[in-house]
Amino acid sequence: MPPEPLHQVHPLLEGLGVERTAAPAAIVIFGASGDLTRRKLMPALQALMARDRLAPGTSIVGVGRSDLGDEGFRSRMRQAVEQAGGGDVDERAWGQLEGGLRYVSGGYDDAGTYKALDEVVGDLDRDRGTAGNRLHYLSTPPGVFATVVDHLGRVGLHRPAAGGDFARVVIEKPFGHDLDSAEALDRCLHEVLDEDQLYRIDHYLGKETVQNVLALRFANSIFEPVWNRSYVDSVQITVAESEGVGHRAGFYEDAGALRDIVQNHLLQVLALTAMEPPVSMSPKGIRDEKVKALGAVDLLSPAEVATEVVRGQYRRGWVSGAEVPGYDEEEGVAPDSRTETYVAMRLRIDNWRWAGVPFYLRTGKCLPRRVTEVALQFSGVPHLPFAPTQATQLGPNALVLRIQPDEGITLRFGAKIPGQSFDVRSVSMDFSYGAAFAEEAPEAYERLLHDALLGDPTLFIRTDEVQQAWRIVQPLLDAWSSESQPPAGYEAGTWGPEEADRLLEAGGHRWRRP
Ligand code: BG6
């Protein structure tokens, strides 16, 4: 007998963020022997099952080129769950998942793989009550996305089986390599799938603190009135990483920081920061506004790429007390590689709210700290009634949204230094997630996998968002492809090349040192 779903929710309660159990489904992971499945997907599914967010019959089919077999796959997934829990495993949840773990080995371009897969999910529908529902997760190299989807279409796995409600496909970035290839990829995907079946993951959107940008802006009356060109002087968005490229050179050499972080994570955070208030928190309400914000970003001309953008590459240096090799010394990196590991840029958003406010974006590997934040710097007061000597320690007002780590929000403002004189200096008011909430934030993948199973696409990237993001990035790709200068070098463990400091100094600003 197929197990009963745990509990039903009144249809009116369905929508963004409603905690409920997803309908049973066969979750098919392509690229199941890869790193992502072990580090993120399987631990997320186990955590969802432990919180009763997955129906008991939910089953996971791994597809990969390695010849693991069901038992090999199970023991790998068990290890993944143990590692994620630091040795602790919720045995009840594992017990429910374990029986539904299957493995299909084969090439992604081999029709036999999909025939075998079709049989396995058919068995699961019968034996475990997966009810004809499918969630395909493409955790493969991007070059095979179109092939996999084409084959799914041929065997009919792109549709729910009889009695099922859904068949969805989750795709990991990168969505294309540039604007043309992204559009070509979408055309291939749309030959088989409707847009509403496609769930393009940007794991930054699954982060609680990224979602909190929306809560901060649209659940409060005190911030929104100053969230515009009348009060905001400039905006800085930083995605800094202390790690180098590690063992991912094969991927990174072709990607670089622009494709790896700017095109997706950074521009998504920018969109949430800059967008207009949505009419509702519906998927369409939010995604329409994000597209409009990205669409208002002014494209850089080839000449502006030279003046408004800095790209860098790390050289040998020290990060957190350890010596790290230069990027060009990393295994798998060409000694004369021009791949950028750092990008900083100034963008303009040409709309009523943001005209004239520079948006400074930066990301880099081998920087001193891993930190992601959005900082709004406010304009100065119209008249400062203090002697200049009394305000030497007074900086601009700033609101800093600390996305990670140390998640929270900081407000910087001026206060009187206690004492006889009237000296003022900047102080901070801090909100910290850890101190304010007892609840633990779910991991980004946990949140996103659950949403994909529930059919809530709010935190996934729609096709027009992908295109808008490539539109912004494409002029940089074009300019760099014919650029004779290599990226500027910066010592690992520093905040990037000096050229990036000069970029801000030109506008009378300075990078924050988070
Ligand atoms: C990934 C990039 O998308 O995001 C990696 O491919 C990067 O290069 C990672 O390290 C950063 O994610 P997080 O969640 O650690 O900030």
Side-chain angles (χ1 to χ4, degrees), residues 173 203-204 207 241 248 260-261 265 365 370 404:
K173 76 170 183 67
H203 77 279
Y204 264 55
K207 292 183 192 273
E241 298 187 86
R248 294 171 73 227
D260 189 36
I261 302 279
H265 307 328
K365 294 212 182 274
R370 173 175 182 258
Q404 66 181 19

Side-chain angles (χ1 to χ4, degrees), residues 243-261:
E243 299 275 312
V245 72
H247 59 276
R248 294 171 73 227
F251 153 77
Y252 200 83
E253 270 283 86
D254 276 340
L258 186 65
R259 291 187 174 95
D260 189 36
I261 302 279

Side-chain angles (χ1 to χ4, degrees), residues 39 126 342 386 445:
R39 280 190 309 111
R126 237 188 355 266
Y342 176 97
F386 308 105
Y445 276 94

